[in-house]
Structures are given as structure tokens and as C-alpha cells.
Amino acid sequence: MTSDHAIDPDVPPTGPGCADCDAVGGWWFHLRRCAQCGHIGCCDSSPGQHATAHFKATGHPVVRSYEPGEDWFWDYAANELYDSGPDLAPPVSHPADQPSPGPAGRVPSNWAETLRR
Ligand SMILES: [Zn+2]
Ligand SMILES: [Zn+2]
């Protein structure tokens, strides 16, 4: 990984959904967790791309998947994927009954056509 200080295993996640989408009533496809400050942001296929935006705004380089059953890490600075990494403070994913895309009630019916590529 880029550097040890990029990961703080003791910081809990900010919540079950993308913090920035929640602020503006948006929706997301998949979620990523900042390994340094716990910020939950949405993936690059999501309209908001808030996980990448968080890296650009803060310089926090490492995210972990926040999807149930996934434990990979992505290092923006090194442009590298890691199959696993340190155990982070729970919860390690959004609630299993929270849909992807989510959250319930905010996803447009044509969401699949609006995913970014
Ligand atoms: Zn978002
Ligand atoms: Zn962060």
C-alpha cells in the first residue's frame, strides 16, 4: 500500500450509505469506505463518484469495498488493487438488506442506463 498512515483500522464508517449522496438526496450503485477516516462514498459507476471525489479532496488514498462479502482494497495513489488488507472497525459493509443500487426509494427506474463507465 501507499503508506501505513493511509489506513486507520480503529475509525468506524460514517454510516450505511454514501455520506455525500445522503446530503443531496442522491443514489449510488456500490459503496467504498475510506480506510483512513471512515468516509463512505459511492463507486465510479455511480452518478456522484463520491469515493474518488473524497480521495481528490482529502488525499486519503486507500478505500475498501463496503459491499457485503467483499474485502478488497483499492489504492488510488498507487493505482493498485489488493485482495485483502487489515481488519477495519465494524461494520465492514452496509447492511445486507440495503439494496444495491440504493438507497431504497431514491433509485430511478432507469438507473442501469445512467451508470457511468
Ligand atoms: Zn455518492
Ligand atoms: Zn478519508
Side-chain angles (χ1 to χ4, degrees):
M1 305 244 178
T2 302
S3 57
D4 289 343
H5 75 261
I7 297 178
D8 185 344
D10 298 325
V11 180
T14 50
C18 173
D20 302 293
C21 283
D22 280 341
V24 297
W27 64 276
W28 55 79
F29 184 44
H30 287 148
L31 295 170
R32 311 289 178 240
R33 167 186 183 166
C34 175
Q36 189 165 341
C37 74
H39 172 273
I40 299 300
C42 50
C43 71
D44 281 349
S45 297
S46 307
Q49 301 184 322
H50 290 125
T52 297
H54 177 75
F55 159 64
K56 289 178 177 168
T58 64
H60 298 167
V62 180
V63 291
R64 185 186 196 270
S65 176
Y66 201 50
E67 295 302 312
E70 296 186 359
D71 57 1
W72 52 264
F73 287 72
W74 172 256
D75 186 329
Y76 286 103
N79 221 25
E80 249 184 287
L81 182 72
Y82 300 88
D83 287 338
S84 62
D87 289 330
L88 302 182
V92 295
S93 72
H94 66 73
D97 61 357
Q98 177 177 299
S100 293
R106 292 216 303 257
V107 182
S109 56
N110 69 336
W111 66 269
E113 296 158 30
T114 66
L115 285 183
R116 299 198 189 214
R117 313 212 176 261

